[in-house]
Structure formats: C-alpha cells, structure tokens
Amino acid sequence: MKLLHLDSSILGEGSVSRQITASIVEQIRKSDPSIEIVSRDLAADPIPHLTLASLPAANPDARADLAQFLASDIVVIGAPMYNFTLPSQLKAWIDRILVAGETFHYTETGPAGLAGGKRVIVAISRGGHYGPGTPAESLEHLETYLRGVFGFIGITPEFIAADGIALGADARSASIEQALGTVSSLAA
Ligand SMILES: Cc1cc2nc3c(=O)[nH]c(=O)nc-3n(C[C@H](O)[C@H](O)[C@H](O)COP(=O)(O)O)c2cc1C
C-alpha cells in the first residue's frame, strides 16, 4: 500500500491543516505499519503553473506528479482556505493530475472518472464558518471545489474540517481538538 501525503499551507509550524494531515497519516501508519509513505510539501517545493509546454497530455516528461498520484492507494491532502478557495500551490498539483485519458475520459454520455478505487482524505482548515445557512455560505469554494474535482475523476473524498480558526484562541483550539478527535475515529 502506498500513501501520498500532500501539504500546501504557507504557515509552516503554525499550520492547522498540517497538524491534521500529520495526525491522519500517523493514524493510518499505526493501522498499517508497512504502508509506504511519500510526503510532499507543495509550499516549500512548489509545482510551477501549468503551461502549454508542461501539459501532461503533451509532454511525457511532465507526468511525474500524475504517475505518483496513480501509483498511490491513499492520498492525504492538507487544504487550508485562502481567499475562499484552495492555495494556488495545491491547484498547481491538481492541474497535473486531471488529465484526459488518464484520470477521466469523455464518453457518449459525458465525462467519466477513471481514478476510482483510491482513498482521498482532505484536511480542511478555514478561518470562518461556511456551513449551510451561514452568511458566508456562498463564498465556500474549497470543499465544494475539491469534492467536485475528485468526483469528476471517480473519487468520493473524505473531509475532516477545522473551522473558525480565526475566531479567537478558544475557538481555534476547540476546532483543532474536534478535528483531531474525528481523525481518531477515521475508518482504517
Ligand atoms: C493568505 C490567507 C488567506 C486566508 N483567507 C481566508 C478566507 O478566505 N476565508 C477564511 O475563512 N479564512 C481565511 N484564512 C484563514 C485560514 O483559512 C486559516 O488560518 C487556516 O487555519 C489556514 O490553514 P493553515 O493553518 O493550515 O494554513 C486565510 C489565511 C491566510 C494566511
């Protein structure tokens, strides 16, 4: 079994999503000590913006990120909300893995995912609250985007969210504690 661990927070040691992904990876490692783990820090080692020359469909040398994703059984992703959506570092990775003919294809009845069978667990951290009925609900373009993108390639992701991180020290620590509690009850 292979696990790909991706972090994209720019906040280093203070990052909430990094704390949660570390806990998820540790939890999975405990239940399968032989699991092969590859960790990537997309903030420290960013993937360049997509260009015509680096389109994976056009350039066989630009398929390393796609190949690594395809070889993984489990992908754990740290996804903080920046400006109502995902960090551009994480978007750059997604740009490398959504490849027609590899992770999805077009059929007579529309697009169909080809990457089903993988487990994707996303640790989300958000400064505010975006749930149904909240004033900022319509600005939620992180979880909805990732659910849509992974659904497009045939994967139903699992989400663990820490919300209200910017709403004071108490709210922050309660939210992190709740998210870490959810990690401990993750299915093996
Ligand atoms: C550049 C930047 C932009 C942010 N934009 C938003 C935002 O649009 N909405 C929100 O609720 N929180 C926002 N936040 C707060 C973060 O979502 C929150 O601090 C979260 O913990 C970030 O995850 P991280 O700690 O793993 O980096 C922003 C934080 C930063 C640094």
Side-chain angles (χ1 to χ4, degrees):
M1 288 279 276
K2 290 187 177 177
L3 184 152
L4 176 61
H5 171 191
L6 302 174
D7 279 314
S8 60
S9 169
I10 60 170
L11 298 182
E13 295 284 297
S15 160
V16 173
S17 59
R18 284 174 189 268
Q19 201 178 326
I20 302 169
T21 59
S23 174
I24 296 169
V25 171
E26 183 53 22
Q27 171 91 357
I28 294 171
R29 198 192 57 74
K30 268 196 253 159
S31 64
D32 179 3
S34 68
I35 198 159
E36 201 180 304
I37 299 170
V38 174
S39 295
R40 293 185 62 180
D41 186 335
L42 300 175
D45 196 5
I47 296 169
H49 286 163
L50 202 57
T51 59
L52 181 58
S54 65
L55 268 180
N59 180 353
D61 295 336
R63 300 169 73 87
D65 301 303
L66 173 66
Q68 185 181 52
F69 172 70
L70 291 174
S72 304
D73 303 289
I74 304 177
V75 185
V76 176
I77 302 173
M81 177 182 271
Y82 295 156
N83 303 318
F84 308 110
T85 187
L86 69 169
S88 52
Q89 290 89 340
L90 181 55
K91 175 62 165 54
W93 179 81
I94 286 173
D95 286 340
R96 304 297 168 134
I97 66 151
L98 257 71
V99 181
E102 297 281 356
T103 48
F104 69 94
H105 66 158
Y106 293 104
T107 72
E108 283 174 8
T109 53
L114 295 172
K118 293 182 197 306
R119 185 177 189 192
V120 171
I121 309 171
V122 186
I124 278 187
S125 47
R126 290 176 284 221
H129 290 282
Y130 298 86
T134 57
E137 180 183 357
S138 66
L139 290 171
E140 210 299 316
H141 304 296
L142 172 61
E143 183 172 342
T144 45
Y145 173 77
L146 292 173
R147 196 183 296 283
V149 160
F150 282 108
F152 187 77
I153 62 173
I155 297 170
T156 303
E158 298 162 61
F159 290 94
I160 294 181
D163 288 317
I165 294 302
L167 304 180
D170 289 351
R172 177 188 168 99
S173 51
S175 178
I176 295 172
E177 199 179 315
Q178 170 271 324
L180 294 176
T182 309
V183 171
S184 61
S185 58
L186 260 184

PDB file of all heavy atoms in Angstrom, residues 88-112:
ATOM      1  N   SER A  88      -2.923  28.245  -4.267  1.00  0.00           N
ATOM      2  CA  SER A  88      -2.556  28.022  -5.674  1.00  0.00           C
ATOM      3  C   SER A  88      -1.525  26.894  -5.795  1.00  0.00           C
ATOM      4  O   SER A  88      -1.450  26.218  -6.822  1.00  0.00           O
ATOM      5  CB  SER A  88      -2.041  29.313  -6.305  1.00  0.00           C
ATOM      6  OG  SER A  88      -1.021  29.875  -5.519  1.00  0.00           O
ATOM      7  N   GLN A  89      -0.766  26.658  -4.722  1.00  0.00           N
ATOM      8  CA  GLN A  89       0.192  25.534  -4.748  1.00  0.00           C
ATOM      9  C   GLN A  89      -0.532  24.197  -4.921  1.00  0.00           C
ATOM     10  O   GLN A  89      -0.037  23.294  -5.600  1.00  0.00           O
ATOM     11  CB  GLN A  89       1.008  25.498  -3.444  1.00  0.00           C
ATOM     12  CG  GLN A  89       2.002  26.635  -3.289  1.00  0.00           C
ATOM     13  CD  GLN A  89       1.410  27.857  -2.605  1.00  0.00           C
ATOM     14  OE1 GLN A  89       0.192  28.049  -2.539  1.00  0.00           O
ATOM     15  NE2 GLN A  89       2.286  28.711  -2.087  1.00  0.00           N
ATOM     16  N   LEU A  90      -1.677  24.073  -4.265  1.00  0.00           N
ATOM     17  CA  LEU A  90      -2.446  22.830  -4.385  1.00  0.00           C
ATOM     18  C   LEU A  90      -3.153  22.764  -5.740  1.00  0.00           C
ATOM     19  O   LEU A  90      -3.257  21.704  -6.355  1.00  0.00           O
ATOM     20  CB  LEU A  90      -3.443  22.728  -3.224  1.00  0.00           C
ATOM     21  CG  LEU A  90      -4.321  21.480  -3.161  1.00  0.00           C
ATOM     22  CD1 LEU A  90      -3.482  20.192  -3.179  1.00  0.00           C
ATOM     23  CD2 LEU A  90      -5.205  21.515  -1.912  1.00  0.00           C
ATOM     24  N   LYS A  91      -3.599  23.924  -6.204  1.00  0.00           N
ATOM     25  CA  LYS A  91      -4.237  23.961  -7.532  1.00  0.00           C
ATOM     26  C   LYS A  91      -3.247  23.515  -8.606  1.00  0.00           C
ATOM     27  O   LYS A  91      -3.613  22.803  -9.566  1.00  0.00           O
ATOM     28  CB  LYS A  91      -4.736  25.381  -7.814  1.00  0.00           C
ATOM     29  CG  LYS A  91      -5.321  25.591  -9.205  1.00  0.00           C
ATOM     30  CD  LYS A  91      -6.548  24.742  -9.455  1.00  0.00           C
ATOM     31  CE  LYS A  91      -7.348  25.186 -10.680  1.00  0.00           C
ATOM     32  NZ  LYS A  91      -6.578  25.271 -11.912  1.00  0.00           N
ATOM     33  N   ALA A  92      -1.971  23.914  -8.450  1.00  0.00           N
ATOM     34  CA  ALA A  92      -0.955  23.523  -9.439  1.00  0.00           C
ATOM     35  C   ALA A  92      -0.814  22.002  -9.483  1.00  0.00           C
ATOM     36  O   ALA A  92      -0.612  21.413 -10.555  1.00  0.00           O
ATOM     37  CB  ALA A  92       0.387  24.176  -9.110  1.00  0.00           C
ATOM     38  N   TRP A  93      -0.940  21.349  -8.314  1.00  0.00           N
ATOM     39  CA  TRP A  93      -0.871  19.876  -8.283  1.00  0.00           C
ATOM     40  C   TRP A  93      -2.099  19.279  -8.981  1.00  0.00           C
ATOM     41  O   TRP A  93      -1.983  18.343  -9.776  1.00  0.00           O
ATOM     42  CB  TRP A  93      -0.749  19.392  -6.838  1.00  0.00           C
ATOM     43  CG  TRP A  93      -0.708  17.901  -6.714  1.00  0.00           C
ATOM     44  CD1 TRP A  93       0.380  17.093  -6.899  1.00  0.00           C
ATOM     45  CD2 TRP A  93      -1.812  17.027  -6.389  1.00  0.00           C
ATOM     46  NE1 TRP A  93       0.023  15.767  -6.708  1.00  0.00           N
ATOM     47  CE2 TRP A  93      -1.322  15.702  -6.399  1.00  0.00           C
ATOM     48  CE3 TRP A  93      -3.160  17.244  -6.097  1.00  0.00           C
ATOM     49  CZ2 TRP A  93      -2.127  14.594  -6.120  1.00  0.00           C
ATOM     50  CZ3 TRP A  93      -3.965  16.149  -5.820  1.00  0.00           C
ATOM     51  CH2 TRP A  93      -3.442  14.842  -5.835  1.00  0.00           C
ATOM     52  N   ILE A  94      -3.266  19.856  -8.698  1.00  0.00           N
ATOM     53  CA  ILE A  94      -4.493  19.342  -9.330  1.00  0.00           C
ATOM     54  C   ILE A  94      -4.404  19.488 -10.851  1.00  0.00           C
ATOM     55  O   ILE A  94      -4.833  18.612 -11.595  1.00  0.00           O
ATOM     56  CB  ILE A  94      -5.725  20.055  -8.733  1.00  0.00           C
ATOM     57  CG1 ILE A  94      -5.950  19.481  -7.333  1.00  0.00           C
ATOM     58  CG2 ILE A  94      -6.977  19.876  -9.595  1.00  0.00           C
ATOM     59  CD1 ILE A  94      -6.993  20.153  -6.521  1.00  0.00           C
ATOM     60  N   ASP A  95      -3.794  20.587 -11.299  1.00  0.00           N
ATOM     61  CA  ASP A  95      -3.626  20.780 -12.738  1.00  0.00           C
ATOM     62  C   ASP A  95      -2.794  19.662 -13.372  1.00  0.00           C
ATOM     63  O   ASP A  95      -2.896  19.421 -14.577  1.00  0.00           O
ATOM     64  CB  ASP A  95      -2.947  22.131 -13.027  1.00  0.00           C
ATOM     65  CG  ASP A  95      -3.888  23.309 -12.815  1.00  0.00           C
ATOM     66  OD1 ASP A  95      -5.109  23.101 -12.818  1.00  0.00           O
ATOM     67  OD2 ASP A  95      -3.386  24.442 -12.640  1.00  0.00           O
ATOM     68  N   ARG A  96      -1.948  19.007 -12.567  1.00  0.00           N
ATOM     69  CA  ARG A  96      -1.111  17.922 -13.105  1.00  0.00           C
ATOM     70  C   ARG A  96      -1.803  16.566 -13.077  1.00  0.00           C
ATOM     71  O   ARG A  96      -1.343  15.634 -13.732  1.00  0.00           O
ATOM     72  CB  ARG A  96       0.200  17.806 -12.303  1.00  0.00           C
ATOM     73  CG  ARG A  96       1.022  19.078 -12.225  1.00  0.00           C
ATOM     74  CD  ARG A  96       1.479  19.504 -13.594  1.00  0.00           C
ATOM     75  NE  ARG A  96       2.018  20.859 -13.544  1.00  0.00           N
ATOM     76  CZ  ARG A  96       3.160  21.202 -14.121  1.00  0.00           C
ATOM     77  NH1 ARG A  96       3.876  20.329 -14.780  1.00  0.00           N
ATOM     78  NH2 ARG A  96       3.558  22.446 -14.057  1.00  0.00           N
ATOM     79  N   ILE A  97      -2.837  16.443 -12.265  1.00  0.00           N
ATOM     80  CA  ILE A  97      -3.440  15.108 -12.156  1.00  0.00           C
ATOM     81  C   ILE A  97      -4.781  14.966 -12.893  1.00  0.00           C
ATOM     82  O   ILE A  97      -5.262  13.861 -13.073  1.00  0.00           O
ATOM     83  CB  ILE A  97      -3.587  14.645 -10.685  1.00  0.00           C
ATOM     84  CG1 ILE A  97      -4.579  15.502  -9.919  1.00  0.00           C
ATOM     85  CG2 ILE A  97      -2.240  14.595  -9.976  1.00  0.00           C
ATOM     86  CD1 ILE A  97      -5.252  14.727  -8.823  1.00  0.00           C
ATOM     87  N   LEU A  98      -5.376  16.089 -13.304  1.00  0.00           N
ATOM     88  CA  LEU A  98      -6.596  15.986 -14.110  1.00  0.00           C
ATOM     89  C   LEU A  98      -6.190  15.909 -15.581  1.00  0.00           C
ATOM     90  O   LEU A  98      -5.966  16.936 -16.217  1.00  0.00           O
ATOM     91  CB  LEU A  98      -7.529  17.183 -13.860  1.00  0.00           C
ATOM     92  CG  LEU A  98      -8.708  16.834 -12.948  1.00  0.00           C
ATOM     93  CD1 LEU A  98      -8.234  16.617 -11.526  1.00  0.00           C
ATOM     94  CD2 LEU A  98      -9.791  17.852 -13.030  1.00  0.00           C
ATOM     95  N   VAL A  99      -6.070  14.703 -16.069  1.00  0.00           N
ATOM     96  CA  VAL A  99      -5.559  14.500 -17.425  1.00  0.00           C
ATOM     97  C   VAL A  99      -6.518  13.567 -18.175  1.00  0.00           C
ATOM     98  O   VAL A  99      -6.738  12.427 -17.751  1.00  0.00           O
ATOM     99  CB  VAL A  99      -4.137  13.882 -17.387  1.00  0.00           C
ATOM    100  CG1 VAL A  99      -3.599  13.702 -18.800  1.00  0.00           C
ATOM    101  CG2 VAL A  99      -3.195  14.754 -16.562  1.00  0.00           C
ATOM    102  N   ALA A 100      -7.063  14.083 -19.275  1.00  0.00           N
ATOM    103  CA  ALA A 100      -7.989  13.273 -20.078  1.00  0.00           C
ATOM    104  C   ALA A 100      -7.283  12.005 -20.549  1.00  0.00           C
ATOM    105  O   ALA A 100      -6.118  12.031 -20.956  1.00  0.00           O
ATOM    106  CB  ALA A 100      -8.484  14.084 -21.275  1.00  0.00           C
ATOM    107  N   GLY A 101      -7.983  10.906 -20.465  1.00  0.00           N
ATOM    108  CA  GLY A 101      -7.403   9.622 -20.888  1.00  0.00           C
ATOM    109  C   GLY A 101      -6.659   8.922 -19.771  1.00  0.00           C
ATOM    110  O   GLY A 101      -6.266   7.760 -19.910  1.00  0.00           O
ATOM    111  N   GLU A 102      -6.405   9.635 -18.670  1.00  0.00           N
ATOM    112  CA  GLU A 102      -5.660   9.055 -17.545  1.00  0.00           C
ATOM    113  C   GLU A 102      -6.527   8.994 -16.287  1.00  0.00           C
ATOM    114  O   GLU A 102      -6.671   7.946 -15.686  1.00  0.00           O
ATOM    115  CB  GLU A 102      -4.411   9.896 -17.247  1.00  0.00           C
ATOM    116  CG  GLU A 102      -3.405   9.939 -18.373  1.00  0.00           C
ATOM    117  CD  GLU A 102      -2.552   8.670 -18.437  1.00  0.00           C
ATOM    118  OE1 GLU A 102      -2.685   7.804 -17.565  1.00  0.00           O
ATOM    119  OE2 GLU A 102      -1.751   8.562 -19.390  1.00  0.00           O
ATOM    120  N   THR A 103      -7.065  10.146 -15.884  1.00  0.00           N
ATOM    121  CA  THR A 103      -7.876  10.161 -14.660  1.00  0.00           C
ATOM    122  C   THR A 103      -9.374  10.393 -14.968  1.00  0.00           C
ATOM    123  O   THR A 103     -10.202  10.263 -14.091  1.00  0.00           O
ATOM    124  CB  THR A 103      -7.371  11.228 -13.672  1.00  0.00           C
ATOM    125  OG1 THR A 103      -7.180  12.459 -14.367  1.00  0.00           O
ATOM    126  CG2 THR A 103      -6.060  10.789 -13.030  1.00  0.00           C
ATOM    127  N   PHE A 104      -9.663  10.763 -16.217  1.00  0.00           N
ATOM    128  CA  PHE A 104     -11.068  10.844 -16.666  1.00  0.00           C
ATOM    129  C   PHE A 104     -11.073  10.688 -18.170  1.00  0.00           C
ATOM    130  O   PHE A 104     -10.037  10.791 -18.829  1.00  0.00           O
ATOM    131  CB  PHE A 104     -11.717  12.182 -16.253  1.00  0.00           C
ATOM    132  CG  PHE A 104     -11.159  13.381 -16.984  1.00  0.00           C
ATOM    133  CD1 PHE A 104     -11.778  13.864 -18.138  1.00  0.00           C
ATOM    134  CD2 PHE A 104     -10.022  14.031 -16.539  1.00  0.00           C
ATOM    135  CE1 PHE A 104     -11.264  14.966 -18.824  1.00  0.00           C
ATOM    136  CE2 PHE A 104      -9.494  15.136 -17.214  1.00  0.00           C
ATOM    137  CZ  PHE A 104     -10.126  15.595 -18.353  1.00  0.00           C
ATOM    138  N   HIS A 105     -12.230  10.398 -18.688  1.00  0.00           N
ATOM    139  CA  HIS A 105     -12.370  10.382 -20.147  1.00  0.00           C
ATOM    140  C   HIS A 105     -13.769  10.835 -20.537  1.00  0.00           C
ATOM    141  O   HIS A 105     -14.653  10.918 -19.686  1.00  0.00           O
ATOM    142  CB  HIS A 105     -12.014   9.015 -20.744  1.00  0.00           C
ATOM    143  CG  HIS A 105     -12.954   7.908 -20.370  1.00  0.00           C
ATOM    144  ND1 HIS A 105     -13.101   6.758 -21.101  1.00  0.00           N
ATOM    145  CD2 HIS A 105     -13.800   7.771 -19.312  1.00  0.00           C
ATOM    146  CE1 HIS A 105     -13.988   5.971 -20.521  1.00  0.00           C
ATOM    147  NE2 HIS A 105     -14.414   6.544 -19.444  1.00  0.00           N
ATOM    148  N   TYR A 106     -13.922  11.174 -21.799  1.00  0.00           N
ATOM    149  CA  TYR A 106     -15.223  11.607 -22.291  1.00  0.00           C
ATOM    150  C   TYR A 106     -15.904  10.439 -22.985  1.00  0.00           C
ATOM    151  O   TYR A 106     -15.279   9.747 -23.783  1.00  0.00           O
ATOM    152  CB  TYR A 106     -15.059  12.792 -23.252  1.00  0.00           C
ATOM    153  CG  TYR A 106     -14.555  14.039 -22.538  1.00  0.00           C
ATOM    154  CD1 TYR A 106     -13.239  14.447 -22.675  1.00  0.00           C
ATOM    155  CD2 TYR A 106     -15.400  14.771 -21.716  1.00  0.00           C
ATOM    156  CE1 TYR A 106     -12.768  15.575 -22.001  1.00  0.00           C
ATOM    157  CE2 TYR A 106     -14.937  15.895 -21.041  1.00  0.00           C
ATOM    158  CZ  TYR A 106     -13.623  16.289 -21.194  1.00  0.00           C
ATOM    159  OH  TYR A 106     -13.171  17.386 -20.524  1.00  0.00           O
ATOM    160  N   THR A 107     -17.147  10.229 -22.637  1.00  0.00           N
ATOM    161  CA  THR A 107     -17.913   9.156 -23.261  1.00  0.00           C
ATOM    162  C   THR A 107     -19.086   9.790 -24.005  1.00  0.00           C
ATOM    163  O   THR A 107     -19.298  11.011 -23.922  1.00  0.00           O
ATOM    164  CB  THR A 107     -18.465   8.183 -22.196  1.00  0.00           C
ATOM    165  OG1 THR A 107     -19.526   8.850 -21.484  1.00  0.00           O
ATOM    166  CG2 THR A 107     -17.394   7.747 -21.211  1.00  0.00           C
ATOM    167  N   GLU A 108     -19.860   8.957 -24.684  1.00  0.00           N
ATOM    168  CA  GLU A 108     -21.024   9.486 -25.419  1.00  0.00           C
ATOM    169  C   GLU A 108     -22.046  10.104 -24.478  1.00  0.00           C
ATOM    170  O   GLU A 108     -22.833  10.956 -24.866  1.00  0.00           O
ATOM    171  CB  GLU A 108     -21.690   8.356 -26.213  1.00  0.00           C
ATOM    172  CG  GLU A 108     -20.917   8.012 -27.470  1.00  0.00           C
ATOM    173  CD  GLU A 108     -21.489   6.802 -28.187  1.00  0.00           C
ATOM    174  OE1 GLU A 108     -22.563   6.324 -27.791  1.00  0.00           O
ATOM    175  OE2 GLU A 108     -20.820   6.366 -29.135  1.00  0.00           O
ATOM    176  N   THR A 109     -22.000   9.661 -23.217  1.00  0.00           N
ATOM    177  CA  THR A 109     -22.972  10.203 -22.258  1.00  0.00           C
ATOM    178  C   THR A 109     -22.359  11.261 -21.340  1.00  0.00           C
ATOM    179  O   THR A 109     -22.998  11.697 -20.386  1.00  0.00           O
ATOM    180  CB  THR A 109     -23.562   9.060 -21.408  1.00  0.00           C
ATOM    181  OG1 THR A 109     -22.486   8.318 -20.838  1.00  0.00           O
ATOM    182  CG2 THR A 109     -24.445   8.150 -22.230  1.00  0.00           C
ATOM    183  N   GLY A 110     -21.123  11.658 -21.629  1.00  0.00           N
ATOM    184  CA  GLY A 110     -20.492  12.698 -20.809  1.00  0.00           C
ATOM    185  C   GLY A 110     -19.208  12.192 -20.184  1.00  0.00           C
ATOM    186  O   GLY A 110     -18.786  11.062 -20.422  1.00  0.00           O
ATOM    187  N   PRO A 111     -18.569  13.041 -19.344  1.00  0.00           N
ATOM    188  CA  PRO A 111     -17.290  12.646 -18.755  1.00  0.00           C
ATOM    189  C   PRO A 111     -17.462  11.553 -17.706  1.00  0.00           C
ATOM    190  O   PRO A 111     -18.488  11.487 -17.043  1.00  0.00           O
ATOM    191  CB  PRO A 111     -16.768  13.935 -18.123  1.00  0.00           C
ATOM    192  CG  PRO A 111     -17.956  14.817 -17.972  1.00  0.00           C
ATOM    193  CD  PRO A 111     -18.989  14.382 -18.957  1.00  0.00           C
ATOM    194  N   ALA A 112     -16.430  10.722 -17.571  1.00  0.00           N
ATOM    195  CA  ALA A 112     -16.465   9.662 -16.555  1.00  0.00           C
ATOM    196  C   ALA A 112     -15.093   9.566 -15.910  1.00  0.00           C
ATOM    197  O   ALA A 112     -14.054   9.703 -16.577  1.00  0.00           O
ATOM    198  CB  ALA A 112     -16.844   8.333 -17.193  1.00  0.00           C
TER     199      ALA A 112
END
